[in-house]
């Protein structure tokens, strides 16, 4: 029993370290206006834009000024996409919602959002699928929307 608890503790510590390393990974934000790339230590979505930590300072960049964001993928995204690929939509929905919420305008929300639209559609939650599609369309514009996602919407 004690050995089992130690193994669980080790797994939890390693998982926490992996999450912490992803949260503090280098991110790149490319601006629309001049193509300038801002390198940050961390990024998170705020009400008005992305808050990019650069050293000891935090800079808020409005969403409308952002062309592209490069950041490490959420550790759970690959597993969630595999669940949707296997048709296990109900199990994937909570995790996909979290990625869409936590990774706003960081490209990963677009991939997770497309899978979430598919999952909502497959589970009979069409109004939720439409809401996700409209939000992604607002954030990224029609040129960035995947054709398959758009077809699901229509």
């Amino acid at each position: 029993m004690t050995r089992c608890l130690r193994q669980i503790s080790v797994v939890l510590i390693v998982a926490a370290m992996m999450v912490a390393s992803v949260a503090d990974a280098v991110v790149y934000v490319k601006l629309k206006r001049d193509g300038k790339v801002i390198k940050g230590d961390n990024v998170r979505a705020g009400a008005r834009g992305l808050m990019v930590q650069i050293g000891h300072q935090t800079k808020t960049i409005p969403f409308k000024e952002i062309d592209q964001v490069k950041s490490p993928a959420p550790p759970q995204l690959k597993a969630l996409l595999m669940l949707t690929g296997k048709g296990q939509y109900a199990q994937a929905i909570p995790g996909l919602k979290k990625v869409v919420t936590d990774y706003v305008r960081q490209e990963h929300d677009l991939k997770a959002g497309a899978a979430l639209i598919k999952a909502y559609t497959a589970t009979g939650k069409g109004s939720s699928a439409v809401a996700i599609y409209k939000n992604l369309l607002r954030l990224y514009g029609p040129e960035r929307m995947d054709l398959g996602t758009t077809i699901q919407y229509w």
Side-chain angles (χ1 to χ4, degrees):
M1 180 72 162
T2 304
R3 184 176 178 198
C4 183
L5 289 174
R6 270 192 233 146
Q7 288 176 336
I8 291 171
S9 296
V10 169
V11 169
L12 290 174
I13 290 169
V14 170
M17 289 169 51
M18 288 174 59
V19 170
S21 68
V22 169
D24 293 327
V26 175
V27 297
Y28 298 92
V29 180
K30 184 178 177 186
L31 303 179
K32 285 182 183 177
R33 179 182 47 225
D34 55 7
K36 179 181 174 186
V37 176
I38 297 171
K39 180 181 175 184
D41 304 314
N42 197 350
V43 65
R44 68 181 189 279
R48 296 187 177 118
L50 287 183
M51 295 183 290
V52 181
Q53 182 181 343
I54 305 166
H56 295 292
Q57 297 179 349
T58 301
K59 180 177 182 176
T60 300
I61 304 170
F63 291 123
K64 65 182 179 185
E65 294 180 15
I66 297 170
D67 180 41
Q68 192 174 26
V69 178
K70 296 282 186 186
S71 65
Q76 70 274 32
L77 183 57
K78 186 175 181 179
L80 293 167
L81 295 175
M82 287 176 61
L83 283 174
T84 58
K86 294 177 183 177
Q88 298 174 343
Y89 302 114
Q91 294 90 337
I93 287 173
L96 290 170
K97 282 173 47 177
K98 182 160 178 48
V99 171
V100 168
T101 303
D102 292 352
Y103 288 81
V104 174
R105 276 298 270 166
Q106 296 180 50
E107 305 295 319
H108 309 297
D109 65 328
L110 191 56
K111 188 180 288 187
L116 186 56
I117 290 168
K118 183 177 182 178
Y120 276 144
T121 303
T123 56
K125 298 177 182 172
S127 60
S128 295
V130 169
I132 295 295
Y133 180 83
K134 286 183 177 181
N135 186 49
L136 292 174
L137 186 64
R138 180 183 57 79
L139 287 171
Y140 289 97
E143 64 278 355
R144 294 293 308 278
M145 295 303 291
D146 176 73
L147 181 60
T149 304
T150 303
I151 289 171
Q152 286 180 58
Y153 171 72
W154 291 108

